[in-house]
Amino acid sequence: MDLMYHLLVQFGKMGRGKIEIKRIENTSSRQVTFSKRRGGLLKKANELAILCDAQVGVIIFSSTGKMFEFCSPTNNLQCLIDKYQKHVSVQGEGFGARQQLMYEMKRMEAENDKLEVLIRQYLGKDLTSFSLNDMIQLEQQLESSIDKVRKRKDEVLSQQLTNLRRKENILEDQNNYLFRMMPDINAMVAIDQKPGPSAMMDLFGGVYQPDGASEFPAYRLQPMQPNLQQVGFMSHE
């Protein structure tokens, strides 16, 4: 009897086996399985809410678009959804900021690595892995860069030459102006250095006295004080 029971149990296990988890192709079988599994899921959700005093909400959409939902007895499904969105947004702010920062750091590191590689290539280093086409392309890029540098150098030199010519014209105008002013300055200096008779009269009119009549009156020096030698001579006498 025990042997028979054991054989029946083993036979039952062999007959039941394991169900492979994949999409059921038969539409009728898929619908039946959906109904059974949906009922079991909602039953387990209800048990979890009652036994553990948990807030449980379940939303299910069938393949035909029909919606099924469940919410723990002491809660409202909309309240649970609002609570979920608030919780996710609070956690998502810090998480999203960290994720964005990590992404930017990785992107900048990658850009820095690319720039370092390009610099070394432009300096003629690390070219062992280059093919012939790569070296031809690099040569063309360098020639294009050299042409741009030369063009900019010519522009700078032309601008400097224009500035020097402008300064030269300004200095030449100043020199011509000073050259035109020289005769007037020489005349003024000559007048100041050689005063005429009228100027001498103005300066020494109190010292000179007229002596006779002529076209130019003669002047004679009149002593302002007695001759000291004569005074001394007379005193000795």
Side-chain angles (χ1 to χ4, degrees):
M1 188 68 181
D2 293 336
L3 180 60
M4 183 63 68
Y5 177 77
H6 181 70
L7 291 174
L8 290 174
V9 171
Q10 292 295 330
F11 180 77
K13 289 182 178 180
M14 290 177 61
R16 183 171 56 189
K18 292 184 178 180
I19 300 176
E20 184 180 1
I21 303 300
K22 67 177 183 178
R23 183 177 182 274
I24 301 174
E25 298 297 336
N26 186 273
T27 305
S28 301
S29 300
R30 186 168 62 245
Q31 186 62 33
V32 171
T33 302
F34 174 77
S35 299
K36 290 182 179 180
R37 295 294 180 109
R38 182 198 66 205
L41 176 62
L42 298 180
K43 181 180 179 182
K44 292 295 183 181
N46 186 36
E47 292 176 355
L48 178 63
I50 294 173
L51 294 174
C52 302
D53 194 20
Q55 299 178 0
V56 181
V58 180
I59 301 176
I60 303 172
F61 288 93
S62 66
S63 60
T64 58
K66 188 175 181 180
M67 187 185 75
F68 303 89
E69 64 179 35
F70 167 80
C71 183
S72 52
T74 58
N75 290 281
N76 181 276
L77 186 60
Q78 185 62 44
C79 294
L80 286 178
I81 294 175
D82 295 340
K83 187 175 182 180
Y84 167 78
Q85 291 179 344
K86 183 178 179 180
H87 183 75
V88 170
S89 62
V90 171
Q91 288 189 345
E93 290 178 358
F95 179 76
R98 289 193 298 270
Q99 288 292 104
Q100 184 67 21
L101 181 61
M102 292 298 296
Y103 172 77
E104 290 295 330
M105 290 178 62
K106 291 181 179 179
R107 185 183 65 81
M108 293 178 66
E109 289 178 357
E111 290 292 333
N112 187 38
D113 294 339
K114 290 181 181 179
L115 290 175
E116 289 181 355
V117 171
L118 288 175
I119 291 172
R120 294 184 65 83
Q121 291 174 355
Y122 286 149
L123 294 176
K125 301 178 181 179
D126 297 339
L127 301 179
T128 55
S129 62
F130 266 40
S131 64
L132 179 60
N133 292 331
D134 293 335
M135 288 187 287
I136 292 174
Q137 185 177 2
L138 179 60
E139 183 181 8
Q140 292 175 352
Q141 291 177 355
L142 291 174
E143 290 178 352
S144 176
S145 299
I146 292 174
D147 292 337
K148 292 179 181 179
V149 172
R150 288 175 178 171
K151 183 178 179 181
R152 178 55 184 165
K153 183 191 69 175
D154 294 339
E155 291 177 355
V156 173
L157 290 175
S158 177
Q159 184 65 35
Q160 291 180 354
L161 181 61
T162 301
N163 294 335
L164 290 175
R165 288 176 177 174
R166 185 181 298 110
K167 291 180 180 179
E168 181 183 4
N169 294 331
I170 293 173
L171 291 175
E172 186 176 358
D173 292 340
Q174 292 178 353
N175 188 30
N176 293 333
Y177 175 76
L178 293 175
F179 183 77
R180 289 194 301 269
M181 293 293 294
M182 286 299 295
D184 297 337
I185 295 174
N186 292 332
M188 294 176 62
V189 171
I191 292 172
D192 292 339
Q193 291 180 351
K194 298 179 180 180
S198 60
M200 295 293 293
M201 291 176 59
D202 293 336
L203 292 174
F204 303 101
V207 177
Y208 287 92
Q209 298 293 334
D211 186 11
S214 62
E215 184 179 357
F216 295 99
Y219 292 89
R220 193 171 47 183
L221 181 63
Q222 298 294 330
M224 299 297 295
Q225 58 183 1
N227 194 331
L228 297 179
Q229 293 181 357
Q230 296 180 357
V231 174
F233 179 76
M234 293 178 62
S235 61
H236 286 289
E237 293 180 347

